């Protein structure tokens, strides 16, 4: 018993055999625990960084995966006539866009898209070029003017078309078509040079004005870029539109034009190759500006075919040129009042002086013929204007000299840059000896003499002729203009008092007015067909027939020359300038009928009808457009 107790005591007093392993286990546990704590610490630090320090960043990334934001072209400003009738507006257009930053396989996306909606080779080249040159967040136009079937195919195949989306935009609409094409102009997609100057022009739907008011007022009409946010799913399918900022629409441009009068004027011109300008002679507002033939401006927005362009380019009547500002013509006898003013101011002629016309004027070895082979006899200035005697103005020009004639002409607006709000205007030409010498040639007396009747080197535009008539009528240096207001803000030029008086004595101006009155209203005047059929209202005017080819002396003296029998392109141009009412002028007009042959026979009655329509509508004194139709015209609406 005692022995077993001792044995037990010995056993209990022996060191434990497992103690070393228990120590090792404890150290390993501490290491693992430390590693775990370090891992959790690192994880916690990373989570803190992700959720706290970089939380906003990743929230934005997540939002960007869900929300697609892109810039959009702003609505282009409208262009309206003086009564608020839209002459250039916008209409809805569905289109397919590509966001390059949302697809990693652009060629594959384009291939799959073109299998659904065919893309022509030139459009494919354009798309690839734009992708190379534009920033990746700027959408690229794939296809414009989508049909409902096109849109359905694109939506059904959206998962295989990453970055492709359907968008609603606008295209330019011209309700009056060719009627106002030369005035309003047209828009077209921007070129590479345009985009280099302004990156926002790279946005789909942005257009650049290429002619008319659309070009000169392009900066005002464009507006400010907007943005749209849409929600998309994991494959990029559009789920909903979250917000849209249309940007700042372009300014609305109010023109001085009366679209109803424009229709009436074109109705009077018919199918003739001609131009006509009607102005308010008190303030220079252009109420109608017609150049015929014309073109459809809407074709330029979607693309003009090669066939159509060739047809326009080869038409001898030049439909793409605004004849009113870019067509230059010899003014013929419409130039005679300017020559008379130069002589009156120079003192080489007085209203009572008489000059004899035997039917010709011999200077040196050259004979200059009057249009009347029998002559007009002895004439005063009023009678010379009334009968449009050539010999009288040959002699007046010879006495006065070309420098004085040029100075008076420039004061009337002839041969000058009138700075109207249109591109591609031409200044015309009033020649002088200095101009001739600058071209390495000698000026001789014959040059001055033929210039006295608006022939030779003298060249003017119909707009200049209308301005000339307006300045004679009003005695003010009115400047023609087309923009009446911008976003409702009326320009100062609408007031007649804005324009200074001409540097010409009023008695001299009155001599021109009296002569132009006699042309239309007195017996044996040269333009009886221009007489108005409105009780108590008279019109003053001046005819012109401008030759486009030389007629020999022998042919003239034979008595058998008839220019109306010549081929169309060799006939003289027919011109007429006028203003009315005579006793209180409100309106002035100029008409040029290309190869119309005789101003008195063709342009004068046309001017009578146009002035009648103008006085009937009286657009300058109205706030609302008149309801009646004053001429039968083609419906462009």
């Amino acid at each position: 018993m005692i022995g077993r107790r001792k044995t037990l005591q010995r056993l209990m007093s022996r060191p434990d055999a497992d103690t070393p392993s228990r120590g090792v286990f404890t150290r390993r546990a501490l290491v693992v625990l430390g590693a775990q704590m370090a891992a959790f610490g690192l994880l916690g630090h990373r989570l803190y960084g992700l959720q706290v320090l970089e939380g906003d960043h990743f929230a934005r990334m997540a939002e960007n995966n869900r929300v697609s934001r892109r810039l959009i072209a702003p609505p282009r400003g409208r262009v309206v006539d003086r009564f608020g009738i839209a002459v250039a507006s916008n209409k809805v257009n569905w289109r397919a866009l590509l966001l390059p930053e949302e697809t990693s396989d652009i060629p594959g996306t384009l291939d799959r898209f073109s299998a659904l909606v065919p893309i022509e080779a030139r459009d494919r080249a354009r798309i690839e070029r734009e992708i190379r040159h534009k920033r990746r967040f700027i959408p690229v136009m794939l296809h414009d003017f989508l049909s409902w079937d096109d849109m359905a195919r694109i939506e059904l195949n959206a998962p295989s078309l990453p970055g492709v989306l359907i968008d609603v935009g606008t295209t330019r609409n011209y309700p009056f078509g060719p009627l106002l094409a030369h005035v309003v102009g047209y828009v077209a997609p921007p070129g590479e040079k345009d985009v280099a100057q302004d990156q926002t022009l790279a946005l789909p739907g942005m257009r650049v004005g290429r002619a008319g008011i659309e070009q000169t007022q392009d900066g005002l009409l464009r507006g400010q870029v907007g943005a749209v946010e849409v929600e998309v799913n994991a494959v990029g399918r559009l789920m909903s539109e979250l917000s849209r900022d249309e940007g700042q629409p372009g300014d609305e441009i109010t023109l001085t034009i009366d679209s109803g009068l424009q229709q009436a004027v074109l109705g009077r011109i018919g199918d003739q190759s001609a131009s006509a300008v009607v102005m308010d002679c008190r303030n220079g507002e252009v109420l109608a500006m017609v150049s015929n033939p014309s073109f459809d401006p809407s074709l330029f927005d979607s693309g003009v075919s090669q066939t159509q362009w060739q047809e326009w380019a080869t038409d001898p009547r030049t439909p793409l040129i605004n004849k009113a500002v870019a067509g230059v013509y010899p003014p013929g006898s419409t130039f005679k009042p300017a020559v008379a003013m130069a002589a009156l101011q120079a003192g080489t002629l007085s209203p009572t002086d008489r000059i004899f016309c035997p039917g010709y004027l011999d200077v040196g070895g050259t004979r200059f013929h009057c249009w009347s082979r029998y002559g007009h006899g002895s004439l005063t200035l009023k009678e010379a204007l009334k009968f449009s005697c050539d010999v009288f103005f040959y002699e007046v020009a010879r006495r006065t000299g070309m420098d004085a004639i040029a100075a008076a002409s420039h004061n009337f607006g002839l041969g000058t840059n009138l700075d109207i709000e249109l591109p591609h205007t031409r200044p015309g030409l009033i020649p002088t000896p200095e101009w001739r010498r600058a071209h390495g040639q000698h000026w001789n007396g014959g040059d001055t003499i033929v210039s006295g009747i608006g022939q030779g080197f003298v060249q003017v535009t119909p707009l200049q002729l209308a301005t000339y008539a307006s300045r004679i009528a009003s005695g003010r240096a009115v400047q023609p203009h087309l923009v009446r207001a911008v976003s409702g803000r009326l320009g100062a030029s609408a007031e007649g008092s804005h324009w200074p008086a001409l540097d010409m004595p009023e008695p001299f101006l009155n001599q021109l007015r009296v002569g132009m009155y006699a042309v239309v209203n007195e017996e044996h005047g040269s333009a009886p067909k221009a007489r108005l059929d409105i009780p108590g209202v008279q019109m003053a005017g001046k005819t012109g027939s401008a030759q486009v080819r030389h007629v020999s002396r022998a042919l003239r003296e034979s008595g058998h020359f008839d220019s109306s029998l010549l081929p169309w392109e060799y006939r003289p141009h027919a011109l007429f300038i006028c203003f009315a009412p005579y006793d209180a002028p409100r309106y002035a007009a100029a008409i040029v009928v290309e190869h119309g042959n005789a101003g008195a026979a063709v342009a004068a009655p046309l001017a009578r009808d146009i002035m009648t329509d103008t006085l009937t509508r009286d657009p300058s004194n109205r706030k609302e457009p008149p309801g009646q139709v004053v001429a039968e015209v083609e419906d462009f609406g």
Side-chain angles (χ1 to χ4, degrees):
M1 188 71 174
I2 294 173
R4 284 191 302 210
R5 187 180 296 119
K6 289 180 179 179
T7 302
L8 182 59
Q9 289 175 347
R10 284 196 303 270
L11 290 172
M12 292 178 65
S13 63
R14 288 173 59 186
D16 190 348
D18 293 334
T19 298
S21 65
R22 287 172 61 192
V24 173
F25 175 77
T26 301
R27 287 193 300 272
R28 288 177 178 173
L30 290 174
V31 171
V32 171
L33 179 60
Q36 289 176 336
M37 291 180 66
F40 280 115
L42 290 173
L43 182 60
H45 177 73
R46 183 57 179 157
L47 288 174
Y48 177 80
L50 292 173
Q51 296 183 10
V52 179
L53 299 180
E54 299 182 74
D56 291 342
H57 169 69
F58 287 105
R60 285 193 299 270
M61 290 182 64
E63 184 69 9
N64 289 340
N65 288 333
R66 183 183 71 89
V67 177
S68 175
R69 186 178 187 274
R70 62 183 183 275
L71 301 177
I72 57 174
R76 191 171 176 86
R78 296 196 315 159
V79 182
V80 300
D81 80 346
R82 66 185 300 111
F83 297 118
I85 299 171
V87 297
S89 56
N90 305 308
K91 62 181 179 181
V92 172
N93 165 40
W94 293 95
R95 59 200 182 187
L97 308 179
L98 173 66
L99 284 171
E101 66 178 357
E102 294 188 4
T103 177
S104 59
D105 181 16
I106 291 176
T109 300
L110 292 178
D111 290 339
R112 289 188 292 273
F113 180 87
S114 60
L116 301 172
V117 181
I119 300 177
E120 294 184 7
R122 66 175 184 177
D123 289 329
R124 177 71 177 253
R126 187 258 313 161
I127 293 167
E128 293 173 347
R129 183 172 61 252
E130 289 186 7
I131 291 172
R132 287 194 302 271
H133 290 92
K134 291 182 179 179
R135 297 178 181 178
R136 290 183 61 83
F137 61 84
I138 296 180
V140 173
M141 178 81 73
L142 295 182
H143 203 288
D144 218 352
F145 306 102
L146 292 174
S147 67
W148 287 108
D149 289 342
D150 293 335
M151 290 189 287
R153 285 193 296 272
I154 294 170
E155 286 293 338
L156 285 172
N157 292 273
S160 64
L161 299 171
V164 175
L165 54 97
I166 294 175
D167 184 58
V168 59
T170 58
T171 188
R172 208 61 166 158
N173 181 42
Y174 299 102
F176 290 91
L179 178 68
L180 284 160
H182 290 110
V183 173
V184 177
Y186 57 86
V187 295
E192 292 183 7
K193 290 184 179 179
D194 300 311
V195 175
Q197 295 175 356
D198 184 352
Q199 286 292 317
T200 62
L201 291 176
L203 293 173
M206 288 296 282
R207 293 291 185 267
V208 176
R210 294 300 190 200
I213 291 295
E214 292 275 29
Q215 179 174 338
T216 61
Q217 308 301 305
D218 189 55
L220 296 174
L221 290 167
R222 280 186 200 170
Q224 300 296 319
V225 171
V228 61
E229 289 187 344
V230 294
E231 185 178 21
V232 295
N233 62 15
V235 296
R237 182 190 293 272
L238 176 64
M239 303 303 292
S240 64
E241 184 176 296
L242 301 178
S243 66
R244 176 178 285 264
D245 174 13
E246 296 290 353
Q248 181 67 39
D251 286 307
E252 180 174 277
I253 304 297
T254 301
L255 301 181
T256 59
I257 293 288
D258 173 5
S259 57
L261 179 60
Q262 184 89 355
Q263 282 187 324
V265 173
L266 181 59
R268 299 299 190 183
I269 289 175
D271 62 355
Q272 298 178 92
S273 182
S275 58
V277 178
V278 180
M279 288 175 56
D280 183 333
C281 63
R282 300 166 297 182
N283 62 11
E285 290 186 343
V286 176
L287 304 170
M289 179 184 285
V290 172
S291 178
N292 195 57
S294 186
F295 60 93
D296 184 356
S298 63
L299 296 178
F300 287 90
D301 198 13
S302 56
V304 176
S305 68
Q306 185 65 29
T307 302
Q308 178 63 80
W309 181 262
Q310 194 67 22
E311 180 182 336
W312 285 336
T314 56
D315 190 334
R317 302 191 305 164
T318 60
L320 293 177
I321 294 177
N322 184 354
K323 298 181 178 71
V325 298
V328 289
Y329 309 91
S333 294
T334 63
F335 192 59
K336 291 173 180 176
V339 176
M341 176 57 72
L344 290 169
Q345 288 187 294
T348 57
L349 178 72
S350 75
T352 57
D353 285 349
R354 287 187 170 273
I355 295 175
F356 184 77
C357 169
Y360 58 87
L361 175 68
D362 288 330
V363 178
T366 304
R367 172 164 290 186
F368 299 91
H369 291 84
C370 188
W371 67 265
S372 172
R373 60 187 300 226
Y374 302 107
H376 292 100
S378 179
L379 301 171
T380 62
L381 172 58
K382 175 189 172 182
E383 294 167 333
L385 289 171
K386 175 181 175 179
F387 300 127
S388 196
C389 175
D390 291 336
V391 168
F392 185 96
F393 288 97
Y394 289 150
E395 176 60 22
V396 167
R398 187 186 66 79
R399 294 180 184 179
T400 306
M402 201 60 215
D403 287 326
I405 293 172
S409 301
H410 291 156
N411 284 338
F412 279 130
L414 300 173
T416 64
N417 187 350
L418 293 173
D419 200 28
I420 195 171
E421 306 95 329
L422 288 175
H424 315 305
T425 61
R426 296 178 67 181
L429 174 66
I430 305 299
T432 61
E434 182 182 358
W435 168 84
R436 189 80 160 139
R437 287 192 296 269
H439 287 77
Q441 296 177 330
H442 175 68
W443 182 272
N444 57 56
D447 293 327
T448 301
I449 289 171
V450 296
S451 295
I453 62 166
Q455 294 285 173
F457 299 110
V458 183
Q459 298 265 294
V460 299
T461 67
L463 179 65
Q464 290 174 357
L465 289 173
T467 304
Y468 167 43
S470 294
R471 293 182 179 184
I472 291 174
S474 67
R476 291 185 177 274
V478 294
Q479 193 81 357
H481 55 282
L482 283 164
V483 176
R484 180 171 170 80
V486 176
S487 291
R489 300 183 301 274
L490 193 67
S493 56
E495 297 296 329
S497 58
H498 175 77
W499 305 105
L502 286 172
D503 186 20
M504 294 176 175
E506 183 64 20
F508 292 170
L509 286 168
N510 200 49
Q511 288 295 317
L512 307 187
R513 297 168 191 148
V514 168
M516 292 172 69
Y517 175 88
V519 167
V520 177
N521 300 285
E522 292 188 0
E523 188 176 5
H524 304 305
S526 58
K529 291 184 178 180
R531 199 168 300 158
L532 296 178
D533 191 20
I534 302 176
V537 180
Q538 289 82 35
M539 179 170 76
K542 185 68 193 77
T543 59
S545 298
Q547 293 178 2
V548 297
R549 60 172 297 184
H550 175 71
V551 179
S552 68
R553 174 175 176 175
L555 188 56
R556 283 188 177 277
E557 294 180 347
S558 69
H560 301 298
F561 176 68
D562 185 352
S563 59
S564 66
L565 301 178
L566 295 171
W568 177 79
E569 63 272 20
Y570 295 143
R571 298 173 193 168
H573 300 308
L575 305 93
F576 197 82
I577 60 172
C578 57
F579 64 86
Y582 173 73
D583 52 355
R586 293 201 303 275
Y587 303 111
I591 295 91
V592 177
V593 181
E594 291 186 328
H595 309 293
N597 193 54
V602 176
L606 187 55
R608 175 200 62 209
D609 294 341
I610 289 173
M611 187 59 75
T612 299
D613 293 339
T614 304
L615 292 168
T616 301
R617 293 183 67 85
D618 200 13
S620 292
N621 293 333
R622 291 178 180 267
K623 293 185 178 180
E624 299 293 334
Q628 74 273 20
V629 176
V630 295
E632 293 298 326
V633 297
E634 182 179 351
D635 182 10
F636 292 105

